[in-house]
Amino acid sequence: MKKINKDYLISAVLFIIIIIISWNFIKGFNSYDTYKMYQLGYVKYAKQLFFADGRIFSGFYILIAQLFNILEEDLYHFSIILCIIIVVGNIIYFKKLLLKISDKKLNDYLMSILAFITIFNFSYVDNMRFIEMPIIALSIFCYMIAAKKAVIDKKNMKSLVYLLIAVFMYQATINVFFIMTIFLLLQKYKTIDKKNDFRNRVLRRFYGNKYFYFNNINFNKCLFCCNRDSFYIFK
């Protein structure tokens, strides 16, 4: 099977899984913020909340809905499907990033699982209540690109551009940039002494690629904790 076909297969499976997980949201489980938008209307809500909080892209998102006379309930259902598509794209992008920075040949499907639990953990699922959920998903994508540009590509200006775009999308997910940057730095610059190098060789001999997976699982736990804490701080 060609690699591109494998990615399509993984994307389809991920899409179905996320649809199942998000089914209650798809049926119309909304947050207090969403009901407030129903009450105020698109224009007032954009001005009083999104633009006031610096979430410019979210503000324009609902203003475009106002321009095309899209009903609030229809916008919510459109947003959740669009969000799921973007989240799947984020998972595939992160999976490819993991495969790229690894010095070992890793299993595509296992790395997809690791990327899935990193991006779409049960802390992130709570974002599916909000009308701006696709903007939140896009912000995570931009933060990941910003980290990659800074660490791997060494293009700091492009990294800064993506970082600023992401900040004006959704500030609460900025922890993704910091954690991703640290993770990429640790994977790229392994400046360890001979003793640690010997220890790593022994661990890899006994555990093989599981040692790399273990490091990524620890990274996932760290990212989840930051996602959970930032949610309560910013929400």
Side-chain angles (χ1 to χ4, degrees):
M1 183 182 292
K2 295 181 180 179
K3 189 173 183 180
I4 186 171
N5 292 334
K6 186 182 294 185
D7 284 340
Y8 283 144
L9 175 62
I10 293 172
S11 298
V13 172
L14 290 172
F15 184 83
I16 294 171
I17 292 173
I18 298 175
I19 284 285
I20 295 172
I21 294 174
S22 307
W23 187 248
N24 284 333
F25 296 107
I26 293 173
K27 289 192 299 183
F29 181 80
N30 300 328
S31 68
Y32 168 78
D33 293 351
T34 306
Y35 285 116
K36 191 172 183 179
M37 185 190 67
Y38 292 170
Q39 180 182 5
L40 294 177
Y42 289 135
V43 177
K44 285 186 178 180
Y45 191 85
K47 290 180 179 179
Q48 294 181 15
L49 281 92
F50 285 148
F51 290 139
D53 291 340
R55 297 174 183 177
I56 298 175
F57 286 88
S58 296
F60 281 114
Y61 179 68
I62 64 173
L63 287 180
I64 291 172
Q66 170 74 23
L67 182 64
F68 288 97
N69 294 318
I70 300 175
L71 297 176
E72 288 86 351
E73 291 185 4
D74 293 336
L75 178 62
Y76 178 83
H77 289 103
F78 172 78
S79 295
I80 197 167
I81 296 300
L82 180 59
C83 175
I84 292 172
I85 293 172
I86 298 171
V87 167
V88 170
N90 289 345
I91 294 170
I92 296 298
Y93 179 82
F94 185 51
K95 184 261 298 185
K96 290 183 176 181
L97 194 57
L98 291 175
L99 293 173
K100 183 177 181 179
I101 64 177
S102 173
D103 55 353
K104 296 288 183 178
K105 187 176 181 180
L106 303 173
N107 184 277
D108 251 37
Y109 298 108
L110 182 56
M111 299 312 293
S112 297
I113 294 172
L114 286 174
F116 174 78
I117 63 177
T118 300
I119 300 297
F120 197 75
N121 51 55
F122 53 88
S123 175
Y124 182 86
V125 172
D126 201 64
N127 292 329
M128 308 297 280
R129 298 182 299 148
F130 303 108
I131 203 77
E132 69 270 26
M133 65 187 91
I135 307 299
I136 298 174
L138 275 177
S139 73
I140 292 176
F141 181 64
C142 289
Y143 283 128
M144 288 194 296
I145 294 179
K148 176 181 176 293
K149 292 292 182 184
V151 178
I152 297 178
D153 300 336
K154 294 183 178 180
K155 296 180 179 179
N156 294 331
M157 289 304 299
K158 288 186 177 181
S159 174
L160 180 61
V161 170
Y162 279 106
L163 183 60
L164 289 175
I165 291 173
V167 166
F168 285 114
M169 286 182 176
Y170 201 72
Q171 300 90 349
T173 50
I174 195 171
N175 56 75
V176 173
F177 171 74
F178 296 118
I179 299 299
M180 192 72 66
T181 300
I182 294 171
F183 174 72
L184 293 177
L185 285 170
L186 290 175
Q187 291 295 325
K188 186 175 181 180
Y189 301 106
K190 294 180 179 178
T191 54
I192 53 179
D193 56 27
K194 292 182 179 180
K195 181 178 179 180
N196 288 335
D197 189 47
F198 174 75
R199 181 196 64 184
N200 285 340
R201 288 202 302 269
V202 172
L203 286 171
R204 285 186 180 276
R205 182 177 293 271
F206 279 98
Y207 298 105
N209 288 334
K210 292 179 182 178
Y211 182 58
F212 177 84
Y213 299 149
F214 177 76
N215 286 337
N216 281 280
I217 290 171
N218 285 335
F219 163 72
N220 293 339
K221 290 179 181 178
C222 183
L223 185 59
F224 160 69
C225 290
C226 288
N227 279 338
R228 180 183 59 187
D229 294 342
S230 67
F231 176 80
Y232 288 111
I233 291 172
F234 286 91
K235 282 292 181 184

